[in-house]
């Protein structure tokens, strides 16, 4: 009798950091504590949700740059006033400049203090502004506290270069209160367009749209190595409640299912990697799929493995490996389940809906 083991192997699927960015949404009231008091557990929780904290950690719970997670939302700058309290959250995916996307973030701007929403590394720079004087290419919208009637759009690049410039100020229709910000990026036209919904409820309604920002002078920096994450943040108690990204380019079948969760990672800790969970028909990377694993049995004296799988696995392959003695004297031999039998191993694939 053959002894078998089960595996999913990727062909042409790369890590989440290199793969095409995908759509996802994030409720920002679902975290607890602060970015540092729960370190490192809190950053790991963030990473699993598609986000990463960008803060300067001085060590200990007293570091002023920390981000607070409350039932009301994710709060920036409440531990230290002004520029020193500025901080950012950014997407794990660092290559959003390669795809067309629309990103949204909802914030309660209780005062006329600064909030930021942009595309770049999202690192703290001069005066706590994202990427300024760091050498990182960045384009962002700042609702500026020092200029209460202004909305500043900045393109940042190499310090001192022509690409490190301020685009301009535009009067805002509303200065404070709940508002939903939108960022549209077009990699073909190399433009970023920002708009604001001043009464955020239901579908986004652009009450104000700012002039298009030409980012052609810095797109080569993004594609040349600088991160192009989507980031947001602020100062002095600015509270964000949700964040979402809609990518027009669909990506691979696995990426459409998994978002930013990597193929060979076990997101929910159930002992099954995301790629195998996807092939077995899991709803998303958080579903426990242990009950979906192959069920052993016998048929006419042979060992059988029975399971369901999704019909279309794209470029991913599914393998069963067999051995007479757990590979002690004979090597494990691999059978591609999607291709059919090998030697004495017979594969029977029965079409079904929604899974074979």
């Amino acid at each position: 009798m053959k002894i078998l083991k089960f595996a999913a192997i990727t062909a042409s699927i790369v890590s989440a950091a290199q793969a095409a960015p995908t759509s996802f949404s994030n409720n920002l009231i679902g975290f607890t504590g602060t970015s540092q008091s729960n370190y490192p557990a809190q950053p790991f929780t963030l990473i699993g949700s598609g986000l990463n904290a960008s803060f300067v950690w001085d060590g200990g719970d007293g570091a002023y740059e920390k981000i607070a997670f409350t039932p009301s939302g994710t709060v920036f700058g409440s531990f230290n006033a002004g520029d020193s309290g500025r901080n950012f959250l950014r997407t794990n995916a660092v290559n959003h400049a390669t795809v067309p996307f629309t990103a949204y973030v909802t914030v309660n701007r209780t005062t006329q203090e600064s909030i930021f929403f942009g595309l770049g590394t999202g690192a703290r720079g001069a005066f706590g502004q994202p990427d300024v004087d760091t050498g990182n290419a960045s384009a962002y919208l700042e609702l500026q506290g020092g200029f209460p009637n202004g909305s500043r759009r900045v393109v940042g690049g190499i310090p001192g270069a022509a690409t490190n410039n301020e685009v301009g100020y535009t009067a805002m229709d509303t200065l404070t209160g709940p508002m939903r910000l939108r960022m549209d990026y077009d990699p073909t036209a190399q433009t970023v367009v920002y708009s604001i919904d001043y009464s955020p409820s239901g579908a986004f309604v652009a009450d104000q749209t700012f002039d298009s920002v030409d980012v052609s002078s810095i797109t080569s920096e993004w594609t040349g190595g600088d991160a192009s994450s989507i980031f947001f943040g602020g100062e002095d108690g600015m509270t964000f409640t949700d964040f979402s990204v809609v990518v027009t380019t669909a990506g691979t079948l696995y990426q459409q299912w998994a978002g930013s969760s990597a193929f060979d990672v076990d997101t929910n800790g159930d002992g099954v990697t995301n790629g195998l969970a996807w092939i077995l028909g899991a709803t998303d990377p958080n579903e426990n799929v242990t009950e979906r694993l192959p069920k052993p049995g016998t048929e006419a004296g042979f060992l059988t493995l029975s399971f369901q799988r999704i019909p279309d696995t794209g470029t991913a392959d599914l393998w069963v490996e067999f051995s007479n003695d757990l590979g002690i004297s004979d090597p494990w031999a691999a059978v591609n389940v999607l291709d059919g039998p090998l030697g004495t191993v017979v594969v029977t694939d029965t079409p079904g809906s929604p899974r074979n």
Side-chain angles (χ1 to χ4, degrees):
M1 178 181 290
K2 304 287 186 184
I3 302 170
L4 293 89
K5 61 182 181 180
F6 192 66
I9 299 178
T10 174
S12 305
I13 292 184
V14 295
S15 69
Q18 298 172 322
T22 54
S23 305
F24 76 98
S25 60
N26 203 308
N27 188 327
L28 299 176
I29 63 175
F31 305 113
T32 59
T34 71
S35 56
Q36 281 135 287
S37 64
N38 293 350
Y39 198 90
Q42 190 70 67
F44 289 158
T45 303
L46 285 169
I47 289 171
S49 72
L51 291 172
N52 205 336
S54 176
F55 57 86
V56 180
W57 189 38
D58 288 342
D61 188 38
Y64 60 74
E65 300 94 346
K66 61 189 174 185
I67 302 166
F69 303 104
T70 75
S72 300
T74 300
V75 184
F76 296 82
S78 59
F79 293 97
N80 202 57
D83 300 348
S84 296
R86 292 175 175 174
N87 247 311
F88 310 98
L89 288 179
R90 62 175 182 260
T91 59
N92 293 338
V94 296
N95 54 350
H96 278 280
T98 63
V99 297
F101 68 81
T102 298
Y104 303 87
V105 68
T106 303
V107 61
N108 184 10
R109 193 168 183 245
T110 53
T111 64
Q112 296 174 13
E113 300 302 335
S114 291
I115 60 175
F116 303 87
F117 187 30
L119 179 66
T121 303
R124 282 172 50 89
F127 303 105
Q129 296 185 85
D131 301 324
V132 172
D133 289 335
T134 65
N136 300 316
S138 187
Y140 63 85
L141 170 74
E142 177 184 4
L143 306 189
Q144 172 63 276
F147 301 86
N149 294 317
S151 173
R152 185 165 64 178
R153 301 177 302 276
V154 176
V155 176
I158 300 172
T163 55
N164 193 9
N165 64 83
E166 177 183 295
V167 176
Y169 291 93
T170 301
M172 293 176 61
D173 293 343
T174 302
L175 302 181
T176 60
M179 55 186 69
R180 189 159 176 77
L181 312 182
R182 173 171 170 165
M183 172 171 51
D184 291 280
Y185 173 71
D186 184 338
T188 302
Q190 301 183 74
T191 57
V192 176
V193 177
Y194 291 100
S195 51
I196 304 179
D197 182 347
Y198 289 112
S199 302
S201 62
F204 182 90
V205 176
D207 295 313
Q208 184 171 9
T209 300
F210 301 108
D211 294 339
S212 174
V213 180
D214 182 351
V215 294
S216 59
S217 60
I218 60 171
T219 49
S220 61
E221 295 179 48
W222 284 327
T223 56
D226 279 4
S228 56
S229 296
I230 302 171
F231 62 82
F232 57 91
E235 63 180 2
D236 296 351
M238 296 297 98
T239 302
F240 294 76
T241 56
D242 66 76
F243 171 71
S244 61
V245 180
V246 179
V247 176
T248 306
T249 303
T252 67
L253 291 174
Y254 172 76
Q255 291 161 358
Q256 294 175 42
W257 174 84
S260 60
S261 299
F263 187 87
D264 56 356
V265 171
D266 179 8
T267 293
N268 62 352
D270 63 356
V272 181
T273 58
N274 295 331
L276 187 53
W278 166 60
I279 291 175
L280 292 175
T283 303
D284 56 55
N286 294 311
E287 180 185 335
N288 188 312
V289 295
T290 53
E291 292 301 314
R292 295 182 184 270
L293 290 172
K295 303 297 189 296
T298 58
E299 182 177 321
F302 290 92
L303 173 66
T304 63
L305 292 178
S306 300
F307 58 93
Q308 291 186 319
R309 71 167 182 86
I310 57 175
D312 189 356
T313 63
T315 56
D317 286 327
L318 183 64
W319 299 79
V320 168
E321 294 183 326
F322 66 88
S323 166
N324 287 313
D325 57 6
L326 295 178
I328 295 174
S329 62
D330 67 319
W332 288 95
V335 179
N336 189 332
V337 174
L338 307 182
D339 286 344
L342 175 67
T344 58
V345 177
V346 176
V347 177
T348 302
D349 197 2
T350 306
S353 180
R355 294 182 292 274
N356 289 6

